Amino acid sequence: MSQSRTCYLLICLLLSCAVNQAGAADPPAVEAKNGMVVAAEPLAAEAGVEMLRRGGNAIDAAVATGFCLAVTYPVAGNLGGGGFLVATLPTDAGAQTIALDFRETAPAAAHARLYIDAVAAGKTNASTLGHLAAGVPGSVAGLLYALEKWGTLERRTVLEPAIRLAREGFLLPRRTHQFLASASIASAMSQFSATRAVFYPNGSAPAEGSVFKQPDLAETLTRIANDGRAGFYQGKTAELLEKEMKRGGGIMTRADLANYRPIERKPIEFSFRDYRIVSMPPPSSGGVCLQQMLGMLSTFPLEEFGHNSSASIHVIAESMRRSFADRNRFLGDPDFHELPLTRLTSPSHIQAQSKTIKPNAASSSKEVLSGASAREKEQTTHYSVVDRNGGAVSVTTTLNGAFGSKAVVAGAGFLLNNEMDDFATEPGKPNLYGLVQGEVNAVGPGRRPLSSMTPTIVLDSGGRVRHVLGTPGGPTIITNVLQVLLNLVVYRLAPQAAVNAPKFHHQCLPDRLDLEPGLPKDVWSALERRGHNLKERSAIGDFQLISREPTTGTLYGASDPRGGGAARGH
Ligand code: DON
């Protein structure tokens, strides 16, 4: 079994232990009046709420939480990765909707045969492990762009909690200890001396509950606090990164860093029932798939079918199958390809897809596929924020795999991503997640790899925030956001119940319906009778949800029991 596959299984196991420990009853969501932050790690959620208490808005809080996660949640929080931010900010003219793309880009020296050649030269893990796997990081540029354009607090104020936690340390949580101590992660991470120095200072993972300090990371964060984007993309940090690349055989240069830009994009927006859905456009596939799946499902009586009944799971899974067929074939970086977005999201196309769903029989993916498919992997993180003025921010950010490429930049203290593996590194070849992507997502200089990250906000007909949604989980991100949205809007589940409910996933190829434990046996048999190829799959995602009750304005924060996160309100 490959190292990445072993890491993936280990993460699933840790997550499923968390679910089992959570017990059967859904605890109530956390309640607050003035603001809420829900994140995968409690100190980071607290840092966001601190900004809200100081009078900051949802953007200030999101940026503080984002920088904090880079310190307190190293498995996925990051300076060396990328992500997407979707926001709705109140203005006199109604809600302003925002989609900010700070996805990593391929270095200028990257080309379509990069990983084909690397594999031929015997470097079989080149797109997942080590320096060649890293795209040009976007997180710092993205967070600072958001803060400067839409935030209200000083950069130093917003970065203060992250710097403090890196310098003074924090008590290492059990989950991070378990990740670091697992044999597969430890052996992959230990190949890099700078990574050993940070995460295995005495030869093994720091003990659970020990004070974990990251002085080099504190210095990098301080340079960012002092000099803004130049503190990361130029000067000492850029120098350290270039040196690290040379040492590790990577291709990223200082020019790549200096050239990195986040991009404001037009969000994917559409109506579903009485709601307005705002989500991420390409290079994420999330918003397009969400629009397609909800569109297909509009023609079915989902309430009548019942929540997580075999009839509803069947049609929802069929909508997933059809949408992933389009995703994998037609989506990639919109700045390098003319993507057929108008056609893919047109009512006529969505209706035509919907009509092919048979009420009592599974389709075959071969039949549905008019072409190819995609790829990715585990560990990413999501955080949701709502402020007292109704501003809302939904951010999903990632290093891609757990601890990304596993390579820390010596002297700068942060991990590099392995996002290059989200490209179709060899078109036609299924990757770790069985997704097979096409030419449109091939590696090319400056390109952004196709993503499944789906930060999403649901507004009511008056433009007020109702829900802020998101999760990690590779391709299951899209299908998990769909299910929590349906659980809230169609099935009217309470926020925590909507998050906790068992999930399922279909991604067209492999032609298989994955089900989390917890669904009744007769649902399994009824799905099998329809011809679905079923597989039990442990914990899907680590959802971070905020719901706003429309009449009282009370906020409810629901962090997923599958992870170790928390909702913090004020
Ligand atoms: O952008 C993507 O779609 C992937 N790099 C996300 C990976 C992920 O969600 C891993 N999470 N558990």
Side-chain angles (χ1 to χ4, degrees):
M1 195 171 347
S2 77
Q3 205 154 45
S4 332
R5 180 79 191 143
T6 318
C7 291
Y8 166 70
L9 292 175
L10 177 94
I11 289 159
C12 290
L13 185 72
L14 291 173
L15 290 173
S16 71
C17 291
V19 168
N20 295 339
Q21 281 159 13
D26 297 326
V30 172
E31 219 178 297
K33 270 282 176 206
N34 296 318
M36 179 78 74
V37 181
V38 191
E41 192 287 314
L43 292 168
E46 193 53 50
V49 168
E50 195 182 317
M51 299 303 131
L52 296 179
R53 282 199 202 99
R54 288 185 184 204
N57 67 9
I59 292 281
D60 297 314
V63 174
T65 297
F67 278 116
C68 243
L69 285 166
V71 177
T72 60
Y73 195 62
V75 66
N78 64 80
L79 298 186
F84 300 128
L85 175 151
V86 167
T88 59
L89 301 179
T91 70
D92 293 342
Q96 176 195 3
T97 57
I98 291 164
L100 184 65
D101 164 2
F102 50 96
R103 182 79 163 155
E104 300 90 329
T105 53
H111 54 86
R113 291 197 54 84
L114 184 62
Y115 298 102
I116 301 170
D117 294 348
V119 170
K123 294 184 202 146
T124 46
N125 285 334
S127 70
T128 56
L129 185 67
H131 303 65
L132 203 58
V136 184
S139 292
V140 174
L143 293 176
L144 293 181
Y145 182 98
L147 183 67
E148 275 153 34
K149 183 144 185 196
W150 303 294
T152 63
L153 297 177
E154 292 292 318
R155 192 167 62 224
R156 285 200 178 90
T157 307
V158 169
L159 272 137
E160 192 278 327
I163 296 173
R164 177 172 32 86
L165 288 160
R167 186 169 291 139
E168 294 172 15
F170 59 96
L171 303 183
L172 195 77
R174 172 180 303 179
R175 282 167 57 78
T176 304
H177 166 78
Q178 285 174 327
F179 281 137
L180 289 171
S182 85
S184 57
I185 287 183
S187 83
M189 304 266 282
S190 299
Q191 295 176 33
F192 306 100
S193 59
T195 310
R196 281 199 304 276
V198 173
F199 292 105
Y200 303 91
N202 303 311
S204 59
E208 175 192 343
S210 61
V211 178
F212 182 57
K213 296 185 186 179
Q214 299 168 85
D216 288 342
L217 183 57
E219 290 308 309
T220 301
L221 287 162
T222 305
R223 286 193 290 277
I224 297 169
N226 291 339
D227 304 329
R229 61 168 281 149
F232 185 84
Y233 292 91
Q234 290 164 36
K236 180 158 181 198
T237 316
E239 213 173 277
L240 290 169
L241 203 145
E242 195 172 53
K243 261 195 206 148
E244 184 62 47
M245 279 290 146
K246 288 201 175 123
R247 195 166 28 243
I251 54 172
M252 200 190 305
T253 64
R254 247 198 282 185
D256 286 320
L257 290 170
N259 289 335
Y260 183 84
R261 293 285 175 277
I263 300 177
E264 260 187 77
R265 302 198 183 269
K266 193 170 157 317
I268 296 277
E269 291 189 43
F270 59 96
S271 296
F272 177 67
R273 305 224 168 166
D274 292 334
Y275 297 96
R276 186 107 196 117
I277 315 293
V278 185
S279 192
M280 196 65 207
S284 171
S285 54
V288 172
C289 289
L290 212 50
Q291 183 168 6
Q292 287 194 328
M293 295 183 298
L294 288 168
M296 282 182 247
L297 293 168
S298 295
T299 58
F300 293 95
L302 293 178
E303 285 95 331
E304 212 174 281
F305 287 167
H307 177 243
N308 274 356
S309 64
S310 58
S312 70
I313 293 177
H314 167 69
V315 292
I316 296 169
E318 290 299 328
S319 77
M320 293 171 179
R321 184 200 304 275
R322 282 157 180 76
S323 189
F324 268 86
D326 278 351
R327 175 210 190 269
N328 298 342
R329 180 167 185 204
F330 296 115
L331 297 183
D333 186 337
D335 298 334
F336 287 81
H337 302 278
E338 195 80 42
L339 304 178
L341 292 189
T342 311
R343 182 178 74 78
L344 293 181
T345 57
S346 70
S348 58
H349 176 66
I350 294 173
Q351 270 161 27
Q353 280 182 315
S354 183
K355 280 203 182 119
T356 65
I357 297 178
K358 300 169 234 168
N360 288 314
S363 303
S364 99
S365 289
K366 253 197 211 147
E367 224 173 74
V368 167
L369 270 169
S370 32
S373 345
R375 59 189 298 149
E376 50 248 88
K377 53 190 30 215
E378 292 283 331
Q379 277 302 338
T380 296
T381 192
H382 180 87
Y383 46 103
S384 296
V385 183
V386 176
D387 65 27
R388 69 166 76 208
N389 299 319
V393 181
S394 183
V395 179
T396 313
T397 179
T398 190
L399 288 166
N400 194 24
F403 304 98
S405 66
K406 317 280 194 287
V408 162
V409 176
F414 66 88
L415 281 155
L416 290 164
N417 67 83
N418 59 351
E419 219 70 56
M420 294 294 282
D421 194 60
D422 271 352
F423 281 114
T425 53
E426 278 187 60
K429 182 182 149 205
N431 87 332
L432 189 59
Y433 293 92
L435 292 166
V436 187
Q437 295 172 132
E439 276 300 325
V440 69
N441 191 30
V443 182
R447 289 188 190 178
R448 285 156 146 93
L450 182 62
S451 172
S452 297
M453 293 187 288
T454 315
T456 299
I457 296 175
V458 177
L459 302 174
D460 66 17
S461 51
R464 285 173 301 261
V465 175
R466 279 305 305 277
H467 308 290
V468 185
L469 306 98
T471 179
T476 69
I477 293 174
I478 307 173
T479 56
N480 198 351
V481 169
L482 171 75
Q483 288 168 81
V484 173
L485 204 155
L486 291 172
N487 289 350
L488 294 163
V489 167
V490 173
Y491 297 111
R492 310 264 167 201
L493 298 192
Q496 194 70 57
V499 167
N500 294 12
K503 308 282 174 47
F504 51 93
H505 173 71
H506 203 302
Q507 61 183 46
C508 194
L509 285 182
D511 192 342
R512 192 183 75 208
L513 176 54
D514 294 343
L515 303 170
E516 265 189 336
L519 291 163
K521 279 250 163 346
D522 60 348
V523 169
W524 277 71
S525 340
L527 287 167
E528 257 159 5
R529 276 200 301 277
R530 283 180 170 87
H532 288 284
N533 169 23
L534 303 182
K535 182 162 182 268
E536 184 169 292
R537 171 173 185 153
S538 55
I540 292 180
D542 184 10
F543 219 96
Q544 312 299 336
L545 169 73
I546 300 177
S547 291
R548 189 179 149 279
E549 212 283 319
T551 44
T552 61
T554 305
L555 300 170
Y556 294 92
S559 186
D560 203 324
R562 296 164 180 84
R568 294 280 188 264
H570 89 113

